[in-house]
Structures are given as C-alpha cells and as structure tokens.
C-alpha cells in the first residue's frame, strides 16, 4: 500500500501565503505523478497542480502565476506553495499520486485524507 500524509493547511487572509506538504510512504516501486486536487463546498474535485516524474508541471488556469508545485524525489514528497491567495481558493486540498507498488505491474491512484485551506476576505 501507498500512504499519503498531508500537512500545512489552515486559515489565512486574502493575499497571504500557505505551503502544503505531502509525503508518500509504503512499498513504492515508482512514482509517476504527484499532485494536488481541491474540492470547494458544493463543487467537484478539480486539479490544482501536478508534477510528472520527468519534472513537467501542470496547473489549473485559476492558480497559474500564484501557485508553485515542487518535489523532493529522495523523500517522495511534494510541496504546493500558494501565494496571493483568494477567497475562491478555499477548499479541501487532496494530495494524489499515481504510483506503482513494489511487486506490482500496474500503476494506481492514491489519495490523502485532505487538508482544509480557508482564505478569508
């Protein structure tokens, strides 16, 4: 199994910054992608940012220029630096990885439990 543990959520005023962290552990053979999805109240879960094993990054249009995703491959950890936060960024942020477990042939998606980010106006 692969476990994801998130940290770094909280309450911040509009214009402020937060940094989320997510560490993957378990019997991991290979990580293909790591990223952050978010789900605002009453809305569907959506991709915020992700990083692919070669280093390519993808961002939602709504966070481009404000959020930066990075990783520490040696620690199987991904970070999301969120700057210039807006009230509309308020959501539960979920860490996600697409990874292959040791002894497996197939990649699977794994999810963290989520961390709440609240941006006050």
């Amino acid at each position: 199994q692969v476990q994801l543990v998130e940290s770094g959520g909280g309450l911040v005023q509009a214009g402020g910054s937060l940094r989320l962290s997510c560490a993957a552990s378990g019997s991991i053979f290979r990580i293909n992608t790591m990223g952050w999805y978010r789900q605002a109240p009453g809305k569907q879960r959506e991709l915020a940012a992700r990083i692919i094993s070669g280093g390519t990054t993808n961002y939602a249009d709504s966070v481009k220029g404000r959020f930066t995703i990075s990783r520490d491959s040696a620690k199987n950890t991904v970070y999301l630096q969120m700057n210039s936060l807006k009230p509309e960024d308020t959501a539960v942020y979920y860490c996600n990885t697409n990874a292959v477990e040791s002894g497996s042939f197939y990649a699977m998606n794994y999810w963290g439990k989520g961390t709440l980010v609240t941006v006050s106006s």
Side-chain angles (χ1 to χ4, degrees), residues 26-37:
S27 52
I28 301 169
F29 173 68
R30 184 181 70 245
I31 290 178
N32 295 322
T33 67
M34 289 192 80
W36 293 92
Y37 287 70

Side-chain angles (χ1 to χ4, degrees), residues 97-109:
T97 186
N98 181 273
V100 181
E101 280 190 65
S102 299
S104 174
F105 293 104
Y106 305 104
M108 292 182 63
N109 278 319

